[in-house]
Amino acid sequence: MSRSLVRVVKSFLIHLLLIGGAFLMCFPFFWMLLTSFKSPAEVLEVDTWMPQPKYYLQTEAMEEVQVRILRHVMQNTVEVELLRKREPLRQVLLSDLATKTWLFSNYPKAWNKVQPSFGRYFFNSFLIALLTTLGQVLTSILAAYAFVYFEFPYKNALFTLFLATMMVPQEILLIPNYLVLANLGWIDTYAAMIVPWLAGVFGIFMLRQFFQQLPREFYDAAVIDGCSRLGFLFRILVPLSLPPIVTITIFTFLGSWNSLLWPLIVTNSEHMRTIQVGLSYFAQSEGTEWELLMAASSFCILPLVIAYFAAQRFFVEGDTASGLKG
Amino acid sequence: MSHNKKDYSAWWYLLPATLVLLIFHILPVIYSFLLSVHRGTLKHPIQHFIGAQNYLDLLEDSGFWEAMINTVFFALGSVPLGMFFALLVALLLNQKIKGLGIYRTVYYLPVITSIAAVALVWNWLFDVKFGLFNQLLKSFGMSPSQWLLEPRGIFESMAQAMGFGLPDLLHGPSVALCSIIVMSIWKGLGYNVVIFLAGLQNIPPSLYEAADLDGASVWQKFKHITWPLLSPTTFFIFIMSTIHSFQVFVQIFMMTPFGGPERSTVVAVFYLYEKAFKTFEFGYASALAYVVFLIIFILTLLQRRYVGERVHYGG
């Protein structure tokens, strides 16, 4: 066999394996989307993968009911059976039946099935993630600046203490933080979900590393030109440090948006629920309405997936650089 | 440096981060310990000093041991398998192939999606009556499984299918827990792939070129170059995955909200959640949290000691 043939066969096999793996990775998402467009009856039919054409009849009560066509009576008349209703068979004109294959209606149905609605949950999640991210980026910038550009007593001790919090898992914080927030009367407020996460060592550490790599001459030149310390930070240092700032932003936003345990603990009322908490309650109350659950899962995942495909370079690199999981 | 040595203005820059970290991330470690050695009411949890009583009670608590065993099962099931598949994919991706970026994006997709949402999707796949997995089993002429509702051990049910029994000790994790392990491997795979890939790309190509000149086989190259030079990355992933598996909660909570059949999916953090926020035994739950904390702390120290910061905090 010639060398080039070996190379072609080898690369073919590699792609075959990788595509097989990629299919397995994506499959749960396909299945989620396919299910989210099916009718309740269709979900329970075991042999159909793709959503099939479904026939709907407008009843006298102006309800839309799914029907199954049993047989053709005449050229344009069919006998139908109403699904999920104990009603006699009917003969209807074929033209009275509406045909639908992809049921988009599952999405609004799922959206409004919870109290107040998923819109509120989205708003909560977005607000919390946004403020947490803004806060954490800001506190990280300020702290990293102090660690790199200032000399002050106990600098190293403080930095070591900060680093030590990296070794503290969230589990040990749950009870004490819950009690502290309960004493402050903050349970079931946005503050409870934002304030404890307004600073993070990951961001401070990453920015400190980055600041250290920048030439000191920038600072000296700026000070000579009469730039204040705060001015140097926000006019020169921050614009130069956008790559790590973007990484911290994505990482913090993702972590906040996807977190479940903490918001689950500190919220009681329906209108304070985040997307993830709302989804977990929705799953427990609508355990078998898979088409609605999959629609809800889809619209919960969708915003992040879109952002991910738009900026995937930052997502992957950020997580690798951090060595932490989102 | 143009500024003087004693400069207290730095504290203004540090104040916001320090306050938040101190109140919500450093002092709680101490508070948690105090909670674990005191008895009290919900309103005043620290009243009577009881010493190590909560820790002694933990040792007597069969629920605690059950949870620890399930956690170890989870780690044993998810870490080696997850690493194996991740290394396999990373090695394939490292063959200078076309479309690396696309593959990486696809394999990484589950990592960024919310675990609560994808856990629901897997619940649907595992559904006993209408789920896809049982449909597939049936279409291959095999008997369906109870998946998340199956309390029998994985080895026990395999043995039973083949017609013999096993002693209790060899039953293994429940099929329900194994189902969650499968989902967790899928969810975390892309993360490990990306880190393995970064490690592989750090190996100097000249080593492989030299090996090629010596006529080394693929396996020899892997054994003598890739594996030893990748070991810091492998060790890092091993420790990080083990830490994460000791912290597993969300998929357990979403897929088996009540701890699974015969409590066979109750892991450490799930038990902690129940003790703290279902029955509000804060002292007892704090002792439990400390045990989990110590395990994770030791693993983290190992990671720092042997890998340090040189592998992954490059920025």
Side-chain angles (χ1 to χ4, degrees), chain A residues 11-79:
Chain A
S11 122
F12 174 75
L13 284 176
I14 288 173
H15 281 287
L16 199 69
L17 283 170
L18 283 172
I19 290 171
F23 175 75
L24 290 180
M25 296 310 280
C26 290
F27 187 78
F29 297 113
F30 293 140
W31 196 239
M32 168 187 81
L33 286 172
L34 289 179
T35 307
S36 75
F37 293 112
K38 290 180 177 176
S39 75
E42 214 177 357
V43 167
L44 308 186
E45 273 170 30
V46 285
D47 293 328
T48 54
W49 281 43
M50 301 300 285
Q52 301 296 312
K54 295 168 274 286
Y55 303 98
Y56 289 85
L57 180 67
Q58 195 96 297
T59 63
E60 295 73 25
M62 298 308 279
E63 283 178 288
E64 209 172 41
V65 183
Q66 195 188 342
V67 298
R68 182 183 292 136
I69 297 178
L70 296 176
R71 65 193 175 95
H72 284 255
V73 182
M74 274 176 287
Q75 195 176 13
N76 52 4
T77 313
V78 286
E79 188 169 60

Side-chain angles (χ1 to χ4, degrees), chain A residues 24 27-32 35 49 290 294, chain B residues 118-136 145 147-148 183 186 255:
Chain A
L24 290 180
F27 187 78
F29 297 113
F30 293 140
W31 196 239
M32 168 187 81
T35 307
W49 281 43
W290 291 111
M294 291 305 104
Chain B
V118 292
L120 283 186
V121 179
W122 281 81
N123 278 356
W124 169 220
L125 290 168
F126 282 127
D127 185 68
V128 174
K129 272 193 184 148
F130 306 106
L132 183 73
F133 290 150
N134 272 350
Q135 285 182 44
L136 289 176
S145 167
W147 300 117
L148 293 164
M183 180 270 176
W186 170 83
M255 296 172 81

Side-chain angles (χ1 to χ4, degrees), chain A residues 18 46 216 276 308 319 321, chain B residues 1 7 105 107-108 114 135 312:
Chain A
L18 283 172
V46 285
R216 290 294 172 129
Q276 315 302 340
Y308 171 61
D319 258 15
Chain B
M1 270 310 130
D7 186 355
T105 307
Y107 280 93
Y108 204 74
S114 106
Q135 285 182 44
H312 282 289

Side-chain angles (χ1 to χ4, degrees), chain A residues 1 92 104 165 200 203 291:
Chain A
M1 254 195 310
V92 294
F104 291 91
T165 66
E291 71 287 354

Side-chain angles (χ1 to χ4, degrees), chain A residues 220-240:
Chain A
D220 297 333
V223 170
I224 290 166
D225 287 348
C227 188
S228 71
R229 280 172 168 179
L230 214 55
F232 172 73
L233 174 60
F234 286 104
R235 280 200 223 122
I236 297 166
L237 211 50
V238 168
L240 282 174

